[in-house]
Amino acid sequence: MPSSRLTADDWTAAALDAIGRGGLAAVAVEPLATGLGATKGSFYWHFANRDALIEAALLRWERDHTDAVISLVETQPDPLAKLRLLISTVIESTAGPHTDAIELAMLATAGHPHVAPVLARVTERRVAYTSGLFEALGLPPQEARHRGVTAVSAYLGLAQLAHAAPRTVPATSTDRQAYVDRLIGLLTTAG
Amino acid sequence: MPSSRLTADDWTAAALDAIGRGGLAAVAVEPLATGLGATKGSFYWHFANRDALIEAALLRWERDHTDAVISLVETQPDPLAKLRLLISTVIESTAGPHTDAIELAMLATAGHPHVAPVLARVTERRVAYTSGLFEALGLPPQEARHRGVTAVSAYLGLAQLAHAAPRTVPATSTDRQAYVDRLIGLLTTAG
DNA sequence: ACCTGAACACCGTTCAAGT
DNA sequence: ACCTGAACACCGTTCAAGT
């Protein structure tokens, strides 16, 4: 039961919720207003238009969510353990049973003009971080960079596969673990 | 100057054209009708609704486009040459200068209910075909399958990167070739 | 400062009427 | 068989008027 007056944050929270449930297309001002017990006119006091709401919601997601995985991974002592945890975490969250609905929605709408830059920043950080792990494993910078790109590609591509062709991706937790082990084997093989 | 009477194919062609230019969102009945010099009412004679048009356009793309790459690759004599041509062709077409606009639009809207199954079929064929190449290279079936999944993931993920974070992917034709070489090196390394 | 309610534009969809 | 034109629904957007 929200108070009778709404804040911009109430609208972005509702928008993020909608994105998680039905993707960007589910961010519709009229249904959102109904859900919040307000009118469309109220929305336009807080935001210039639907686009501005989407942008605000995505920026909020980026701010709250970007460092989560990296902080988790940083608890590991050595680069190989970090790489192992990074890849298995990230693959579980896309191909596993409790997927990250918002991230999947973002990937599924990567072409959207507001999604693309957010995804670009998040992805560039991930490539940089992963490349750093390969450097810490002793690979020369260029080789480390290529493997970082390949590792992130493998993750993004598997997410795509899990969504578009689920039959092709490892189905059980054990299968996924075996897949991750082989992937790490390929990625850490001597140059 | 089209004849005064339109066929269903005229509409699907116009729809595919729109997808290539602006993605699924660009498939709007009213502007399409205007572009074809007809009215919306004419459209609804040929199709039940906008959804049916999108589905027809995507099926047409699948039919016309699916085997193109595989046929090209099959001209190569041995599995390694096929793999090399497959990966470089497919990476050029997403990260290179003349990208396949429709395929990129499909990947950018992979979440759409009509796009997903088309992408699923195309992708499953690609995984199966690529896994077959690894088997032909002498790898045991399960290992070959994993590498096929990884190869297709690497392609799909690089397409995503090229779109979402262009700064992270190899920019010049030479760089891309070097990247492909390393990728093939990793993928064909002994198990 | 924040919200309502009515209005309008745009596009998807329907359908009776035309050729 | 194929198309027009008018109508309606839905949602984005604007804005004068309320508290």
Side-chain angles (χ1 to χ4, degrees), chain A residues 107-109 111 120 123 142-143 146 150 153 157 160-161 164 167 179 182 186, chain B residues 107-109 111 120 123-124 142-143 146 150 153 157 160-161 163-164 179 182 186:
Chain A
L107 292 174
T109 331
T123 306
Q142 198 199 11
E143 179 75 38
H146 276 215
T150 301
S153 292
Q160 191 101 287
L161 278 180
R167 291 186 56 251
Y179 183 76
R182 280 184 216 237
L186 290 181
Chain B
L107 292 174
T109 331
T123 305
E124 277 170 13
Q142 198 198 11
E143 180 76 37
H146 277 215
T150 301
S153 293
Q160 191 100 286
L161 278 180
H163 192 266
Y179 183 77
R182 280 184 217 239
L186 290 181

PDB file of all heavy atoms in Angstrom, chain A residues 107-109 111 120 123 142-143 146 150 153 157 160-161 164 167 179 182 186, chain B residues 107-109 111 120 123-124 142-143 146 150 153 157 160-161 163-164 179 182 186:
ATOM      1  N   LEU A 107      19.625  -8.741 -22.565  1.00  0.00           N
ATOM      2  CA  LEU A 107      20.281  -9.423 -23.678  1.00  0.00           C
ATOM      3  C   LEU A 107      19.303  -9.655 -24.826  1.00  0.00           C
ATOM      4  O   LEU A 107      19.666  -9.568 -25.992  1.00  0.00           O
ATOM      5  CB  LEU A 107      20.873 -10.759 -23.207  1.00  0.00           C
ATOM      6  CG  LEU A 107      22.055 -10.647 -22.233  1.00  0.00           C
ATOM      7  CD1 LEU A 107      22.458 -12.016 -21.718  1.00  0.00           C
ATOM      8  CD2 LEU A 107      23.233  -9.959 -22.900  1.00  0.00           C
ATOM      9  N   ALA A 108      18.043  -9.945 -24.466  1.00  0.00           N
ATOM     10  CA  ALA A 108      17.047 -10.221 -25.502  1.00  0.00           C
ATOM     11  C   ALA A 108      16.658  -8.967 -26.272  1.00  0.00           C
ATOM     12  O   ALA A 108      16.078  -9.047 -27.349  1.00  0.00           O
ATOM     13  CB  ALA A 108      15.809 -10.862 -24.880  1.00  0.00           C
ATOM     14  N   THR A 109      16.980  -7.794 -25.717  1.00  0.00           N
ATOM     15  CA  THR A 109      16.638  -6.537 -26.374  1.00  0.00           C
ATOM     16  C   THR A 109      17.888  -5.698 -26.551  1.00  0.00           C
ATOM     17  O   THR A 109      17.831  -4.463 -26.485  1.00  0.00           O
ATOM     18  CB  THR A 109      15.608  -5.756 -25.520  1.00  0.00           C
ATOM     19  OG1 THR A 109      14.801  -6.668 -24.776  1.00  0.00           O
ATOM     20  CG2 THR A 109      14.707  -4.924 -26.417  1.00  0.00           C
ATOM     21  N   GLY A 111      19.393  -4.688 -28.899  1.00  0.00           N
ATOM     22  CA  GLY A 111      19.351  -3.710 -29.972  1.00  0.00           C
ATOM     23  C   GLY A 111      18.708  -2.389 -29.587  1.00  0.00           C
ATOM     24  O   GLY A 111      18.867  -1.390 -30.283  1.00  0.00           O
ATOM     25  N   ALA A 120      26.857  -2.064 -23.094  1.00  0.00           N
ATOM     26  CA  ALA A 120      28.229  -1.790 -23.526  1.00  0.00           C
ATOM     27  C   ALA A 120      29.127  -1.563 -22.314  1.00  0.00           C
ATOM     28  O   ALA A 120      30.192  -2.179 -22.206  1.00  0.00           O
ATOM     29  CB  ALA A 120      28.265  -0.564 -24.438  1.00  0.00           C
ATOM     30  N   THR A 123      29.484  -4.735 -20.207  1.00  0.00           N
ATOM     31  CA  THR A 123      30.252  -5.739 -20.928  1.00  0.00           C
ATOM     32  C   THR A 123      31.727  -5.369 -21.027  1.00  0.00           C
ATOM     33  O   THR A 123      32.601  -6.226 -20.866  1.00  0.00           O
ATOM     34  CB  THR A 123      29.658  -5.937 -22.325  1.00  0.00           C
ATOM     35  OG1 THR A 123      28.272  -6.241 -22.190  1.00  0.00           O
ATOM     36  CG2 THR A 123      30.358  -7.053 -23.050  1.00  0.00           C
ATOM     37  N   GLN A 142      48.142  -9.135 -25.089  1.00  0.00           N
ATOM     38  CA  GLN A 142      47.278  -9.297 -26.252  1.00  0.00           C
ATOM     39  C   GLN A 142      46.563 -10.645 -26.233  1.00  0.00           C
ATOM     40  O   GLN A 142      45.368 -10.741 -26.490  1.00  0.00           O
ATOM     41  CB  GLN A 142      48.104  -9.162 -27.531  1.00  0.00           C
ATOM     42  CG  GLN A 142      47.254  -8.881 -28.767  1.00  0.00           C
ATOM     43  CD  GLN A 142      47.994  -9.206 -30.052  1.00  0.00           C
ATOM     44  OE1 GLN A 142      49.060  -9.835 -30.022  1.00  0.00           O
ATOM     45  NE2 GLN A 142      47.435  -8.793 -31.185  1.00  0.00           N
ATOM     46  N   GLU A 143      47.328 -11.670 -25.889  1.00  0.00           N
ATOM     47  CA  GLU A 143      46.741 -13.006 -25.765  1.00  0.00           C
ATOM     48  C   GLU A 143      45.685 -13.023 -24.656  1.00  0.00           C
ATOM     49  O   GLU A 143      44.587 -13.582 -24.818  1.00  0.00           O
ATOM     50  CB  GLU A 143      47.861 -14.011 -25.447  1.00  0.00           C
ATOM     51  CG  GLU A 143      47.405 -15.446 -25.275  1.00  0.00           C
ATOM     52  CD  GLU A 143      47.069 -16.116 -26.602  1.00  0.00           C
ATOM     53  OE1 GLU A 143      47.772 -15.870 -27.597  1.00  0.00           O
ATOM     54  OE2 GLU A 143      46.074 -16.872 -26.631  1.00  0.00           O
ATOM     55  N   HIS A 146      42.515 -11.340 -25.950  1.00  0.00           N
ATOM     56  CA  HIS A 146      41.754 -12.223 -26.845  1.00  0.00           C
ATOM     57  C   HIS A 146      40.983 -13.275 -26.059  1.00  0.00           C
ATOM     58  O   HIS A 146      39.828 -13.558 -26.346  1.00  0.00           O
ATOM     59  CB  HIS A 146      42.701 -12.904 -27.830  1.00  0.00           C
ATOM     60  CG  HIS A 146      43.011 -12.071 -29.025  1.00  0.00           C
ATOM     61  ND1 HIS A 146      43.195 -12.584 -30.273  1.00  0.00           N
ATOM     62  CD2 HIS A 146      43.159 -10.730 -29.174  1.00  0.00           C
ATOM     63  CE1 HIS A 146      43.457 -11.621 -31.136  1.00  0.00           C
ATOM     64  NE2 HIS A 146      43.451 -10.479 -30.495  1.00  0.00           N
ATOM     65  N   THR A 150      37.025 -13.887 -25.755  1.00  0.00           N
ATOM     66  CA  THR A 150      36.439 -15.201 -26.026  1.00  0.00           C
ATOM     67  C   THR A 150      35.620 -15.704 -24.839  1.00  0.00           C
ATOM     68  O   THR A 150      34.525 -16.250 -25.014  1.00  0.00           O
ATOM     69  CB  THR A 150      37.541 -16.226 -26.355  1.00  0.00           C
ATOM     70  OG1 THR A 150      38.270 -15.757 -27.494  1.00  0.00           O
ATOM     71  CG2 THR A 150      36.935 -17.584 -26.680  1.00  0.00           C
ATOM     72  N   SER A 153      32.451 -13.731 -24.714  1.00  0.00           N
ATOM     73  CA  SER A 153      31.636 -14.184 -25.845  1.00  0.00           C
ATOM     74  C   SER A 153      30.976 -15.520 -25.535  1.00  0.00           C
ATOM     75  O   SER A 153      29.800 -15.732 -25.829  1.00  0.00           O
ATOM     76  CB  SER A 153      32.491 -14.349 -27.103  1.00  0.00           C
ATOM     77  OG  SER A 153      32.955 -13.107 -27.565  1.00  0.00           O
ATOM     78  N   GLY A 157      27.092 -15.848 -25.566  1.00  0.00           N
ATOM     79  CA  GLY A 157      26.558 -16.776 -26.552  1.00  0.00           C
ATOM     80  C   GLY A 157      25.787 -17.913 -25.905  1.00  0.00           C
ATOM     81  O   GLY A 157      24.741 -18.330 -26.402  1.00  0.00           O
ATOM     82  N   GLN A 160      22.472 -16.685 -24.976  1.00  0.00           N
ATOM     83  CA  GLN A 160      21.636 -16.651 -26.172  1.00  0.00           C
ATOM     84  C   GLN A 160      21.122 -18.054 -26.495  1.00  0.00           C
ATOM     85  O   GLN A 160      19.932 -18.249 -26.760  1.00  0.00           O
ATOM     86  CB  GLN A 160      22.458 -16.116 -27.340  1.00  0.00           C
ATOM     87  CG  GLN A 160      21.661 -15.782 -28.556  1.00  0.00           C
ATOM     88  CD  GLN A 160      21.425 -14.286 -28.652  1.00  0.00           C
ATOM     89  OE1 GLN A 160      20.635 -13.710 -27.913  1.00  0.00           O
ATOM     90  NE2 GLN A 160      22.127 -13.629 -29.559  1.00  0.00           N
ATOM     91  N   LEU A 161      22.024 -19.023 -26.485  1.00  0.00           N
ATOM     92  CA  LEU A 161      21.640 -20.402 -26.754  1.00  0.00           C
ATOM     93  C   LEU A 161      20.600 -20.884 -25.756  1.00  0.00           C
ATOM     94  O   LEU A 161      19.616 -21.529 -26.128  1.00  0.00           O
ATOM     95  CB  LEU A 161      22.861 -21.316 -26.676  1.00  0.00           C
ATOM     96  CG  LEU A 161      23.763 -21.400 -27.899  1.00  0.00           C
ATOM     97  CD1 LEU A 161      24.909 -22.361 -27.636  1.00  0.00           C
ATOM     98  CD2 LEU A 161      22.960 -21.861 -29.109  1.00  0.00           C
ATOM     99  N   ALA A 164      17.413 -19.217 -26.896  1.00  0.00           N
ATOM    100  CA  ALA A 164      16.899 -19.478 -28.240  1.00  0.00           C
ATOM    101  C   ALA A 164      16.863 -20.960 -28.574  1.00  0.00           C
ATOM    102  O   ALA A 164      16.013 -21.396 -29.339  1.00  0.00           O
ATOM    103  CB  ALA A 164      17.730 -18.720 -29.278  1.00  0.00           C
ATOM    104  N   ARG A 167      17.661 -26.776 -26.036  1.00  0.00           N
ATOM    105  CA  ARG A 167      18.044 -28.170 -26.194  1.00  0.00           C
ATOM    106  C   ARG A 167      19.544 -28.327 -26.430  1.00  0.00           C
ATOM    107  O   ARG A 167      20.094 -29.406 -26.252  1.00  0.00           O
ATOM    108  CB  ARG A 167      17.284 -28.806 -27.350  1.00  0.00           C
ATOM    109  CG  ARG A 167      15.774 -28.980 -27.054  1.00  0.00           C
ATOM    110  CD  ARG A 167      15.044 -29.751 -28.154  1.00  0.00           C
ATOM    111  NE  ARG A 167      15.645 -31.049 -28.400  1.00  0.00           N
ATOM    112  CZ  ARG A 167      16.337 -31.382 -29.499  1.00  0.00           C
ATOM    113  NH1 ARG A 167      16.450 -30.517 -30.473  1.00  0.00           N
ATOM    114  NH2 ARG A 167      16.864 -32.564 -29.622  1.00  0.00           N
ATOM    115  N   TYR A 179      30.768 -28.832 -18.401  1.00  0.00           N
ATOM    116  CA  TYR A 179      30.973 -27.898 -19.514  1.00  0.00           C
ATOM    117  C   TYR A 179      31.916 -26.772 -19.096  1.00  0.00           C
ATOM    118  O   TYR A 179      32.840 -26.414 -19.831  1.00  0.00           O
ATOM    119  CB  TYR A 179      29.624 -27.335 -19.979  1.00  0.00           C
ATOM    120  CG  TYR A 179      29.741 -26.418 -21.166  1.00  0.00           C
ATOM    121  CD1 TYR A 179      29.942 -26.925 -22.438  1.00  0.00           C
ATOM    122  CD2 TYR A 179      29.672 -25.042 -21.008  1.00  0.00           C
ATOM    123  CE1 TYR A 179      30.074 -26.094 -23.530  1.00  0.00           C
ATOM    124  CE2 TYR A 179      29.794 -24.195 -22.095  1.00  0.00           C
ATOM    125  CZ  TYR A 179      29.995 -24.721 -23.354  1.00  0.00           C
ATOM    126  OH  TYR A 179      30.131 -23.892 -24.431  1.00  0.00           O
ATOM    127  N   ARG A 182      35.532 -27.962 -18.976  1.00  0.00           N
ATOM    128  CA  ARG A 182      36.151 -28.058 -20.302  1.00  0.00           C
ATOM    129  C   ARG A 182      36.441 -26.680 -20.887  1.00  0.00           C
ATOM    130  O   ARG A 182      37.472 -26.459 -21.512  1.00  0.00           O
ATOM    131  CB  ARG A 182      35.224 -28.802 -21.262  1.00  0.00           C
ATOM    132  CG  ARG A 182      35.305 -30.308 -21.081  1.00  0.00           C
ATOM    133  CD  ARG A 182      34.435 -30.991 -22.121  1.00  0.00           C
ATOM    134  NE  ARG A 182      33.817 -32.169 -21.531  1.00  0.00           N
ATOM    135  CZ  ARG A 182      33.955 -33.401 -22.039  1.00  0.00           C
ATOM    136  NH1 ARG A 182      34.640 -33.597 -23.127  1.00  0.00           N
ATOM    137  NH2 ARG A 182      33.374 -34.408 -21.438  1.00  0.00           N
ATOM    138  N   LEU A 186      39.985 -25.241 -22.082  1.00  0.00           N
ATOM    139  CA  LEU A 186      40.318 -24.660 -23.386  1.00  0.00           C
ATOM    140  C   LEU A 186      40.907 -23.255 -23.238  1.00  0.00           C
ATOM    141  O   LEU A 186      41.882 -22.898 -23.891  1.00  0.00           O
ATOM    142  CB  LEU A 186      39.063 -24.573 -24.266  1.00  0.00           C
ATOM    143  CG  LEU A 186      38.465 -25.881 -24.797  1.00  0.00           C
ATOM    144  CD1 LEU A 186      37.255 -25.584 -25.663  1.00  0.00           C
ATOM    145  CD2 LEU A 186      39.497 -26.667 -25.592  1.00  0.00           C
TER     146      LEU A 186
ATOM    147  N   LEU B 107      18.994 -11.407 -33.749  1.00  0.00           N
ATOM    148  CA  LEU B 107      19.737 -11.604 -32.497  1.00  0.00           C
ATOM    149  C   LEU B 107      19.377 -10.521 -31.485  1.00  0.00           C
ATOM    150  O   LEU B 107      19.281 -10.784 -30.286  1.00  0.00           O
ATOM    151  CB  LEU B 107      21.243 -11.593 -32.774  1.00  0.00           C
ATOM    152  CG  LEU B 107      21.769 -12.776 -33.577  1.00  0.00           C
ATOM    153  CD1 LEU B 107      23.240 -12.603 -33.915  1.00  0.00           C
ATOM    154  CD2 LEU B 107      21.561 -14.080 -32.810  1.00  0.00           C
ATOM    155  N   ALA B 108      19.157  -9.308 -31.977  1.00  0.00           N
ATOM    156  CA  ALA B 108      18.841  -8.201 -31.068  1.00  0.00           C
ATOM    157  C   ALA B 108      17.448  -8.337 -30.468  1.00  0.00           C
ATOM    158  O   ALA B 108      17.125  -7.690 -29.488  1.00  0.00           O
ATOM    159  CB  ALA B 108      18.974  -6.863 -31.805  1.00  0.00           C
ATOM    160  N   THR B 109      16.622  -9.162 -31.077  1.00  0.00           N
ATOM    161  CA  THR B 109      15.254  -9.347 -30.587  1.00  0.00           C
ATOM    162  C   THR B 109      15.006 -10.820 -30.324  1.00  0.00           C
ATOM    163  O   THR B 109      13.893 -11.321 -30.503  1.00  0.00           O
ATOM    164  CB  THR B 109      14.236  -8.847 -31.638  1.00  0.00           C
ATOM    165  OG1 THR B 109      14.814  -7.794 -32.407  1.00  0.00           O
ATOM    166  CG2 THR B 109      12.988  -8.306 -30.931  1.00  0.00           C
ATOM    167  N   GLY B 111      14.406 -12.404 -27.889  1.00  0.00           N
ATOM    168  CA  GLY B 111      13.363 -12.705 -26.909  1.00  0.00           C
ATOM    169  C   GLY B 111      11.962 -12.738 -27.478  1.00  0.00           C
ATOM    170  O   GLY B 111      11.038 -13.251 -26.852  1.00  0.00           O
ATOM    171  N   ALA B 120      15.977 -20.745 -32.815  1.00  0.00           N
ATOM    172  CA  ALA B 120      16.258 -22.051 -32.221  1.00  0.00           C
ATOM    173  C   ALA B 120      16.603 -23.055 -33.305  1.00  0.00           C
ATOM    174  O   ALA B 120      17.607 -23.766 -33.216  1.00  0.00           O
ATOM    175  CB  ALA B 120      15.055 -22.531 -31.411  1.00  0.00           C
ATOM    176  N   THR B 123      19.881 -22.206 -35.071  1.00  0.00           N
ATOM    177  CA  THR B 123      21.011 -22.391 -34.164  1.00  0.00           C
ATOM    178  C   THR B 123      21.277 -23.861 -33.893  1.00  0.00           C
ATOM    179  O   THR B 123      22.433 -24.295 -33.850  1.00  0.00           O
ATOM    180  CB  THR B 123      20.746 -21.647 -32.842  1.00  0.00           C
ATOM    181  OG1 THR B 123      20.464 -20.284 -33.135  1.00  0.00           O
ATOM    182  CG2 THR B 123      21.945 -21.741 -31.929  1.00  0.00           C
ATOM    183  N   GLU B 124      20.221 -24.643 -33.729  1.00  0.00           N
ATOM    184  CA  GLU B 124      20.420 -26.070 -33.500  1.00  0.00           C
ATOM    185  C   GLU B 124      21.113 -26.726 -34.695  1.00  0.00           C
ATOM    186  O   GLU B 124      21.990 -27.573 -34.525  1.00  0.00           O
ATOM    187  CB  GLU B 124      19.077 -26.760 -33.207  1.00  0.00           C
ATOM    188  CG  GLU B 124      18.667 -26.615 -31.744  1.00  0.00           C
ATOM    189  CD  GLU B 124      17.244 -27.070 -31.469  1.00  0.00           C
ATOM    190  OE1 GLU B 124      16.643 -27.719 -32.352  1.00  0.00           O
ATOM    191  OE2 GLU B 124      16.729 -26.767 -30.370  1.00  0.00           O
ATOM    192  N   GLN B 142      30.983 -36.614 -27.293  1.00  0.00           N
ATOM    193  CA  GLN B 142      30.610 -35.667 -26.247  1.00  0.00           C
ATOM    194  C   GLN B 142      31.526 -34.446 -26.257  1.00  0.00           C
ATOM    195  O   GLN B 142      31.069 -33.300 -26.155  1.00  0.00           O
ATOM    196  CB  GLN B 142      30.679 -36.356 -24.881  1.00  0.00           C
ATOM    197  CG  GLN B 142      29.905 -35.596 -23.804  1.00  0.00           C
ATOM    198  CD  GLN B 142      30.324 -36.030 -22.401  1.00  0.00           C
ATOM    199  OE1 GLN B 142      31.328 -36.745 -22.239  1.00  0.00           O
ATOM    200  NE2 GLN B 142      29.580 -35.602 -21.409  1.00  0.00           N
ATOM    201  N   GLU B 143      32.811 -34.717 -26.401  1.00  0.00           N
ATOM    202  CA  GLU B 143      33.781 -33.618 -26.492  1.00  0.00           C
ATOM    203  C   GLU B 143      33.494 -32.755 -27.728  1.00  0.00           C
ATOM    204  O   GLU B 143      33.521 -31.524 -27.661  1.00  0.00           O
ATOM    205  CB  GLU B 143      35.195 -34.209 -26.571  1.00  0.00           C
ATOM    206  CG  GLU B 143      36.303 -33.187 -26.670  1.00  0.00           C
ATOM    207  CD  GLU B 143      36.581 -32.500 -25.335  1.00  0.00           C
ATOM    208  OE1 GLU B 143      36.507 -33.168 -24.290  1.00  0.00           O
ATOM    209  OE2 GLU B 143      36.848 -31.281 -25.347  1.00  0.00           O
ATOM    210  N   HIS B 146      30.498 -30.546 -27.030  1.00  0.00           N
ATOM    211  CA  HIS B 146      30.836 -29.401 -26.180  1.00  0.00           C
ATOM    212  C   HIS B 146      31.564 -28.318 -26.974  1.00  0.00           C
ATOM    213  O   HIS B 146      31.280 -27.136 -26.828  1.00  0.00           O
ATOM    214  CB  HIS B 146      31.706 -29.858 -25.005  1.00  0.00           C
ATOM    215  CG  HIS B 146      30.931 -30.407 -23.857  1.00  0.00           C
ATOM    216  ND1 HIS B 146      31.290 -30.233 -22.550  1.00  0.00           N
ATOM    217  CD2 HIS B 146      29.785 -31.115 -23.824  1.00  0.00           C
ATOM    218  CE1 HIS B 146      30.419 -30.826 -21.754  1.00  0.00           C
ATOM    219  NE2 HIS B 146      29.495 -31.383 -22.513  1.00  0.00           N
ATOM    220  N   THR B 150      30.500 -24.526 -27.760  1.00  0.00           N
ATOM    221  CA  THR B 150      31.397 -23.408 -27.453  1.00  0.00           C
ATOM    222  C   THR B 150      31.662 -22.559 -28.696  1.00  0.00           C
ATOM    223  O   THR B 150      31.671 -21.329 -28.625  1.00  0.00           O
ATOM    224  CB  THR B 150      32.732 -23.924 -26.880  1.00  0.00           C
ATOM    225  OG1 THR B 150      32.458 -24.687 -25.701  1.00  0.00           O
ATOM    226  CG2 THR B 150      33.646 -22.758 -26.517  1.00  0.00           C
ATOM    227  N   SER B 153      28.575 -20.580 -29.419  1.00  0.00           N
ATOM    228  CA  SER B 153      28.481 -19.559 -28.375  1.00  0.00           C
ATOM    229  C   SER B 153      29.445 -18.420 -28.654  1.00  0.00           C
ATOM    230  O   SER B 153      29.098 -17.243 -28.507  1.00  0.00           O
ATOM    231  CB  SER B 153      28.824 -20.146 -27.001  1.00  0.00           C
ATOM    232  OG  SER B 153      27.853 -21.073 -26.594  1.00  0.00           O
ATOM    233  N   GLY B 157      28.112 -14.789 -29.119  1.00  0.00           N
ATOM    234  CA  GLY B 157      28.578 -13.819 -28.136  1.00  0.00           C
ATOM    235  C   GLY B 157      29.361 -12.689 -28.786  1.00  0.00           C
ATOM    236  O   GLY B 157      29.228 -11.533 -28.395  1.00  0.00           O
ATOM    237  N   GLN B 160      26.999 -10.318 -30.267  1.00  0.00           N
ATOM    238  CA  GLN B 160      26.448  -9.472 -29.206  1.00  0.00           C
ATOM    239  C   GLN B 160      27.452  -8.383 -28.826  1.00  0.00           C
ATOM    240  O   GLN B 160      27.095  -7.208 -28.717  1.00  0.00           O
ATOM    241  CB  GLN B 160      26.154 -10.352 -27.981  1.00  0.00           C
ATOM    242  CG  GLN B 160      25.357  -9.681 -26.909  1.00  0.00           C
ATOM    243  CD  GLN B 160      23.897 -10.103 -26.989  1.00  0.00           C
ATOM    244  OE1 GLN B 160      23.163  -9.670 -27.867  1.00  0.00           O
ATOM    245  NE2 GLN B 160      23.485 -10.957 -26.089  1.00  0.00           N
ATOM    246  N   LEU B 161      28.705  -8.778 -28.650  1.00  0.00           N
ATOM    247  CA  LEU B 161      29.750  -7.809 -28.310  1.00  0.00           C
ATOM    248  C   LEU B 161      29.885  -6.752 -29.391  1.00  0.00           C
ATOM    249  O   LEU B 161      30.002  -5.560 -29.101  1.00  0.00           O
ATOM    250  CB  LEU B 161      31.095  -8.513 -28.139  1.00  0.00           C
ATOM    251  CG  LEU B 161      31.373  -9.189 -26.797  1.00  0.00           C
ATOM    252  CD1 LEU B 161      32.758  -9.820 -26.814  1.00  0.00           C
ATOM    253  CD2 LEU B 161      31.268  -8.183 -25.662  1.00  0.00           C
ATOM    254  N   HIS B 163      27.790  -5.625 -31.294  1.00  0.00           N
ATOM    255  CA  HIS B 163      26.669  -4.707 -31.260  1.00  0.00           C
ATOM    256  C   HIS B 163      26.660  -3.862 -30.000  1.00  0.00           C
ATOM    257  O   HIS B 163      26.471  -2.652 -30.037  1.00  0.00           O
ATOM    258  CB  HIS B 163      25.352  -5.491 -31.371  1.00  0.00           C
ATOM    259  CG  HIS B 163      24.184  -4.607 -31.639  1.00  0.00           C
ATOM    260  ND1 HIS B 163      23.386  -4.120 -30.632  1.00  0.00           N
ATOM    261  CD2 HIS B 163      23.710  -4.086 -32.782  1.00  0.00           C
ATOM    262  CE1 HIS B 163      22.453  -3.335 -31.162  1.00  0.00           C
ATOM    263  NE2 HIS B 163      22.625  -3.313 -32.465  1.00  0.00           N
ATOM    264  N   ALA B 164      26.882  -4.518 -28.849  1.00  0.00           N
ATOM    265  CA  ALA B 164      26.718  -3.827 -27.570  1.00  0.00           C
ATOM    266  C   ALA B 164      27.988  -3.117 -27.117  1.00  0.00           C
ATOM    267  O   ALA B 164      27.921  -2.109 -26.434  1.00  0.00           O
ATOM    268  CB  ALA B 164      26.252  -4.811 -26.496  1.00  0.00           C
ATOM    269  N   TYR B 179      42.279 -13.068 -34.576  1.00  0.00           N
ATOM    270  CA  TYR B 179      41.378 -13.563 -33.529  1.00  0.00           C
ATOM    271  C   TYR B 179      40.814 -14.927 -33.909  1.00  0.00           C
ATOM    272  O   TYR B 179      40.784 -15.853 -33.092  1.00  0.00           O
ATOM    273  CB  TYR B 179      40.254 -12.552 -33.293  1.00  0.00           C
ATOM    274  CG  TYR B 179      39.314 -12.959 -32.184  1.00  0.00           C
ATOM    275  CD1 TYR B 179      39.675 -12.820 -30.852  1.00  0.00           C
ATOM    276  CD2 TYR B 179      38.063 -13.503 -32.469  1.00  0.00           C
ATOM    277  CE1 TYR B 179      38.834 -13.199 -29.826  1.00  0.00           C
ATOM    278  CE2 TYR B 179      37.203 -13.896 -31.458  1.00  0.00           C
ATOM    279  CZ  TYR B 179      37.594 -13.742 -30.132  1.00  0.00           C
ATOM    280  OH  TYR B 179      36.755 -14.127 -29.129  1.00  0.00           O
ATOM    281  N   ARG B 182      43.430 -17.661 -33.421  1.00  0.00           N
ATOM    282  CA  ARG B 182      43.590 -18.067 -32.014  1.00  0.00           C
ATOM    283  C   ARG B 182      42.399 -18.877 -31.534  1.00  0.00           C
ATOM    284  O   ARG B 182      42.541 -19.839 -30.788  1.00  0.00           O
ATOM    285  CB  ARG B 182      43.737 -16.832 -31.136  1.00  0.00           C
ATOM    286  CG  ARG B 182      45.143 -16.264 -31.164  1.00  0.00           C
ATOM    287  CD  ARG B 182      45.241 -15.095 -30.203  1.00  0.00           C
ATOM    288  NE  ARG B 182      46.107 -14.068 -30.755  1.00  0.00           N
ATOM    289  CZ  ARG B 182      47.214 -13.629 -30.140  1.00  0.00           C
ATOM    290  NH1 ARG B 182      47.548 -14.122 -28.975  1.00  0.00           N
ATOM    291  NH2 ARG B 182      47.959 -12.713 -30.707  1.00  0.00           N
ATOM    292  N   LEU B 186      42.422 -22.582 -29.983  1.00  0.00           N
ATOM    293  CA  LEU B 186      41.858 -23.011 -28.708  1.00  0.00           C
ATOM    294  C   LEU B 186      40.876 -24.154 -28.900  1.00  0.00           C
ATOM    295  O   LEU B 186      40.867 -25.127 -28.148  1.00  0.00           O
ATOM    296  CB  LEU B 186      41.145 -21.838 -28.021  1.00  0.00           C
ATOM    297  CG  LEU B 186      42.004 -20.698 -27.473  1.00  0.00           C
ATOM    298  CD1 LEU B 186      41.113 -19.646 -26.816  1.00  0.00           C
ATOM    299  CD2 LEU B 186      43.030 -21.220 -26.482  1.00  0.00           C
TER     300      LEU B 186
END
